[in-house]
Amino acid sequence: MPVFPPRRLAAAVALCFTSLTPLAALAQEIVAAQVAQVLAPVIVTGSRFDADPALAPIGAVVIHAEDIQRAGVSDVNAAIRKIGGVYGRQSLDGSPDFSLDLRGFGTNSSQNMVIVLDGVRLSENELSNAILSTIPIDSVERIEITRGGASVLYGDGATGGVVNIVTRRPVKFSRRGTMFVEGGQFGAGELRLSGAHAWEGFAADATLDTQRTDNYRDNNVFKQTQFAGGAQWFDDAGRAGFRYEGARQDMGLPGSLTAQQFASNPRQASTPNDAASLDSDRLTVFGQRHFGAYDVAADLSYRKKHSKGTYYSPSLYVMEYDSKQTQFSPRVRHLGNVAGLLNETVAGVDLMYWTRVATSSYSADANQHSKAIYLRDELRFDAAHQGRISAGVRRELFDKNFRDPFGYGSKAYSAVQAVNAWELQASYMPLAHTTVFGKAGQSYRLATSDENAYPQKKNQPLEAQQSHDLELGASYASALQKLTARVFRHQLVNEIFYDQSVYANVNLAPTRRQGFELDAEQRINADWTLNGHYQHVDASFTEGSNNGKQMVLVPKNTLSARISWTPASGQTADLGAQWVDSQRFGNDFTNQCNARIPSYTTFDARYARTYGQWEVAVQGLNLTDKHYYSQAFDCNGAIYPADGRQFKLSARYTF
């Protein structure tokens, strides 16, 4: 993503995948316990391995392909927000890659969650959001959203949770194809072609997509062309293949507004000439194989980006760089018996090398090499009551280097930082359809190169952020209802955050996130379904000069609800609402600003009808044309307005 000037940095949502993986050998027991009658079988990846058949991860929200199509979302980020109920802040560059926030990490949300695509980490080692808009929505089988610390399996930045995106697995002698076209207000348009074909033992797929929009604000045009495709060889014992994703983006940057400017015209731009571009390419080679009691898997991924930002504040300057990242993640799983109980052991290594080379004087050279080893063991007991208990540990070493002879902040540093993570988890089904669960652990995150470029103490990298995590919850699932409730607490030391008052990234005094979450779904009858997501989070300082003060840019309450109508007549309708509580402005650590970012409620709706292989749909976003914002970095200022009302018309042809 383009790099923003220091005063515009919204320093860094860790969504983690700490569920306990059900095991294939327990399929008979699961059926005997009649769980399969209330939850559809899925392939789950809680241990970074496929396990089939099984339950969804404990306490997770699972978005299926049919949910995505019914809601009419055209990108993965929107599916996570609209269907999964995850709070998101509109991107500053006009792209559809909103900042996703799990458990109230504010502008650091993207750096406090991990996003994984088929086992490959997408979260960036830069102060930017994971690029999800390049993932073809037609290729997604499901999205698993699991909240809570998970650094043992997923490492850096997994305090808030993990979003696991799983693409469709090939089925022998099958094929599918889709043509999608959409147009709407603000010059919005998209054309997408996708297809996949599977033979006996071999499958290939490809997607070509182009989209553009002027967006709601002036100088906020966004254009993207992307291609994704891959091939794989598969049989009953495993699969191996490769995948490529590439995108070219151009965008206008409208800048922030004062409160007076927002009140008079929220669509205006304060920086009418600022612009940015981003070219990204990712190639992944993967493989997984079953050998008796062992499963072996590995992913090798290479990503490169070219980012450029052109700014006029007040004079012209350009920030431009190239970055490359290589990941290699070999791992092994053993499934066996211990004292007559089923046991799963997973061990693996994560290696990552990231480097950035500046091509302008306003960017800096940097590199980071990390290597980690982890071990996790799960024991299944009392099969009639689905008993599970697991423990895991991780050790990771980071080697960081930075050089910027013209640096406004740091000019050079070299540092080695070592961190540890651990976790304990358990679940039990004391009553039919009801599961209680709990987990405790330690998670961490390291400062990105962008954050270490502007630390409070120049040329000295920030300390590692650590969190002690605790969660207790219960789930109930029947043929008509699903309900999951959790209470949680994260005690953080050295939280990494951008402090507007000193124009630097700092390690804050100890902070805490604690609260309550509720995910619910009710099938009213064969045609109507209602679901909702509620989060209450108290984010505050627990020590230091701001002890007891609320953290900035964290709404205490968020609530989303959707009602869906899916009769057998070829029609579908979907209505959603989201309410977001008020928030402290981005520089108000002392809580002395006499105003807050106002609360707001938005509504969206979609109606679709099928005609043979065609589906025609109309949808509206922000139906009441609410003028609101979720990003503001000064008291009553530095406001980035959110989108106004928009209507879109689309057609989809499936073959």
Side-chain angles (χ1 to χ4, degrees):
M1 301 297 290
V3 178
F4 293 91
R7 296 189 62 170
R8 299 182 190 172
L9 287 177
V13 115
L15 173 50
C16 115
F17 204 95
T18 53
S19 65
L20 303 171
T21 308
L23 307 175
L26 288 181
Q28 298 293 333
E29 300 173 10
I30 292 171
V31 173
Q34 297 183 341
V35 178
Q37 296 179 10
V38 297
L39 292 176
V42 294
I43 298 174
V44 298
T45 48
S47 62
R48 296 178 64 171
F49 279 90
D50 291 350
D52 180 29
L55 304 172
I58 291 176
V61 173
V62 182
I63 304 169
H64 298 281
E66 53 268 28
D67 302 322
I68 294 172
Q69 184 167 351
R70 182 179 65 245
V73 294
S74 58
D75 65 85
V76 171
N77 191 289
I80 295 169
R81 290 181 287 110
K82 282 185 64 175
I83 309 171
V86 175
Y87 174 57
R89 294 178 177 84
Q90 190 158 312
S91 60
L92 303 183
D93 56 19
S95 78
D97 290 315
F98 281 39
S99 298
L100 302 171
D101 193 345
L102 288 164
R103 296 199 165 166
F105 282 91
T107 52
N108 277 2
S109 58
S110 293
Q111 282 65 49
N112 280 282
M113 65 180 289
V114 171
I115 297 180
V116 177
L117 173 65
D118 289 335
V120 176
R121 183 187 179 102
L122 299 187
S123 299
E124 296 284 358
N125 185 44
E126 300 160 40
L127 201 59
S128 60
N129 302 327
I131 303 174
L132 303 183
S133 56
T134 61
I135 302 172
I137 194 68
D138 297 318
S139 71
V140 175
E141 175 64 30
R142 71 187 182 282
I143 303 169
E144 299 162 346
I145 303 170
T146 307
R147 294 165 168 84
S151 284
V152 167
L153 287 179
Y154 294 99
D156 180 27
T159 297
V162 170
V163 175
N164 185 38
I165 304 162
V166 181
T167 59
R168 297 176 186 266
R169 299 297 191 254
V171 178
K172 292 181 181 180
F173 306 113
S174 64
R175 63 179 182 179
R176 57 180 171 83
T178 303
M179 179 183 70
F180 175 82
V181 60
E182 182 178 68
Q185 291 175 285
F186 312 134
E190 180 176 5
L191 175 62
R192 182 172 68 246
L193 299 172
S194 64
H197 198 120
W199 295 266
E200 184 176 8
F202 177 75
D205 68 277
T207 298
L208 178 64
D209 182 281
T210 180
Q211 58 181 296
R212 76 165 315 279
T213 176
D214 293 332
N215 276 310
Y216 177 67
R217 298 184 62 194
D218 298 335
N219 188 39
N220 204 197
V221 63
F222 175 79
K223 301 176 183 178
Q224 176 173 275
T225 300
Q226 66 184 78
F227 173 81
Q232 58 183 292
W233 291 259
F234 63 95
D235 57 27
D236 293 338
R239 63 192 186 100
F242 66 89
R243 185 160 195 83
Y244 166 80
E245 298 158 5
R248 306 293 178 263
Q249 298 178 350
D250 293 286
M251 58 208 78
L253 306 176
S256 64
L257 303 179
T258 65
Q260 293 78 12
Q261 289 173 322
F262 175 77
S264 64
N265 178 15
R267 299 187 64 178
Q268 65 181 297
S270 63
T271 54
N273 299 309
D274 288 5
S277 64
L278 174 67
D279 297 342
S280 64
D281 298 272
R282 185 188 301 272
L283 178 64
T284 302
V285 179
F286 58 86
Q288 181 171 328
R289 197 74 181 172
H290 180 70
F291 300 96
Y294 291 88
D295 289 289
V296 178
D299 304 298
L300 176 62
S301 178
Y302 173 78
R303 189 271 292 153
K304 67 175 183 177
K305 295 197 310 185
H306 179 80
S307 179
K308 180 179 180 181
T310 304
Y311 305 95
Y312 297 82
S313 301
S315 58
L316 172 65
Y317 66 98
V318 176
M319 303 179 74
E320 187 172 8
Y321 66 84
D322 293 294
S323 68
K324 300 177 182 179
Q325 181 171 289
T326 302
Q327 305 175 56
F328 181 51
S329 299
R331 53 200 183 274
V332 61
R333 174 176 68 176
H334 178 260
L335 189 62
N337 286 283
V338 175
L341 302 177
L342 195 60
N343 185 76
E344 180 195 44
T345 302
V346 175
V349 173
D350 288 327
L351 304 174
M352 182 181 296
Y353 184 78
W354 173 90
T355 182
R356 180 175 68 194
V357 177
T359 54
S360 74
S361 59
Y362 288 94
S363 299
D365 294 345
N367 64 70
Q368 176 175 299
H369 181 205
S370 66
K371 47 189 176 183
I373 184 170
Y374 61 89
L375 175 68
R376 181 177 180 274
D377 190 81
E378 177 185 325
L379 189 68
R380 300 292 296 261
F381 64 95
D382 194 356
H385 294 91
Q386 299 278 307
R388 296 187 248 177
I389 186 169
S390 74
V393 293
R394 182 186 183 97
R395 172 76 170 176
E396 189 159 10
L397 190 67
F398 294 82
D399 188 351
K400 298 184 173 187
N401 295 278
F402 181 93
R403 187 181 67 84
D404 183 7
F406 306 102
Y408 170 81
S410 295
K411 289 190 176 182
Y413 64 76
S414 179
V416 175
Q417 296 175 301
V419 287
N420 301 312
W422 62 269
E423 66 178 34
L424 292 171
Q425 301 185 69
S427 71
Y428 195 72
M429 183 183 288
L431 302 171
H433 312 316
T434 302
T435 299
V436 294
F437 57 89
K439 52 188 176 183
Q442 176 176 289
S443 57
Y444 59 84
R445 102 164 174 95
L446 280 291
T448 68
S449 60
D450 295 325
E451 290 167 317
N452 279 330
Y454 299 96
Q456 192 169 18
K457 296 180 181 180
K458 295 182 179 181
N459 306 315
Q460 183 174 325
L462 298 173
E463 296 293 327
Q465 169 186 308
Q466 290 193 325
S467 175
H468 288 94
D469 312 314
L470 180 65
E471 178 176 318
L472 297 172
S475 295
Y476 174 82
S478 70
L480 298 177
Q481 297 172 320
K482 295 180 184 178
L483 182 69
T484 299
R486 318 171 199 83
V487 292
F488 64 89
R489 185 182 68 197
H490 301 281
Q491 299 273 19
L492 292 104
V493 178
N494 289 324
E495 181 174 355
I496 300 167
F497 214 90
Y498 183 71
D499 188 343
Q500 184 85 358
S501 66
V502 296
Y503 304 118
N505 296 292
V506 301
N507 287 121
L508 297 175
T511 56
R512 180 180 62 208
R513 307 296 194 283
Q514 62 182 13
F516 171 75
E517 295 165 336
L518 182 66
D519 302 311
E521 179 177 317
Q522 173 70 53
R523 180 168 286 281
I524 301 171
N525 56 38
D527 297 343
W528 293 90
T529 302
L530 177 66
N531 63 64
H533 307 274
Y534 171 72
Q535 176 179 278
H536 170 81
V537 56
D538 175 26
S540 58
F541 288 89
T542 57
E543 294 183 27
S545 60
N546 293 321
N547 186 16
K549 305 295 185 182
Q550 294 178 343
M551 273 294 292
V552 300
L553 292 172
V554 178
K556 183 165 287 189
N557 299 284
T558 58
L559 173 65
S560 63
R562 307 198 69 79
I563 186 167
S564 302
W565 179 57
T566 55
S569 60
Q571 303 178 81
T572 61
D574 194 69
L575 175 65
Q578 183 184 57
W579 172 71
V580 177
D581 208 348
S582 61
Q583 309 171 53
R584 295 284 179 182
F585 284 95
N587 65 342
D588 190 20
F589 289 113
T590 61
N591 294 181
Q592 293 183 354
C593 179
N594 60 1
R596 298 188 186 189
I597 298 175
S599 63
Y600 60 87
T601 303
T602 58
F603 298 89
D604 65 88
R606 180 179 186 266
Y607 172 78
R609 185 168 187 127
T610 57
Y611 301 90
Q613 294 172 273
W614 285 93
E615 179 193 67
V616 179
V618 59
Q619 69 171 324
L621 307 174
N622 190 6
L623 292 174
T624 61
D625 199 22
K626 177 71 173 178
H627 289 182
Y628 71 100
Y629 53 94
S630 59
Q631 306 223 59
F633 303 106
D634 287 336
C635 179
N636 280 312
I639 294 169
Y640 288 83
D643 286 343
R645 179 169 53 215
Q646 183 180 24
F647 290 100
K648 295 181 179 181
L649 180 66
S650 65
R652 179 195 306 269
Y653 179 71
T654 303
F655 55 93

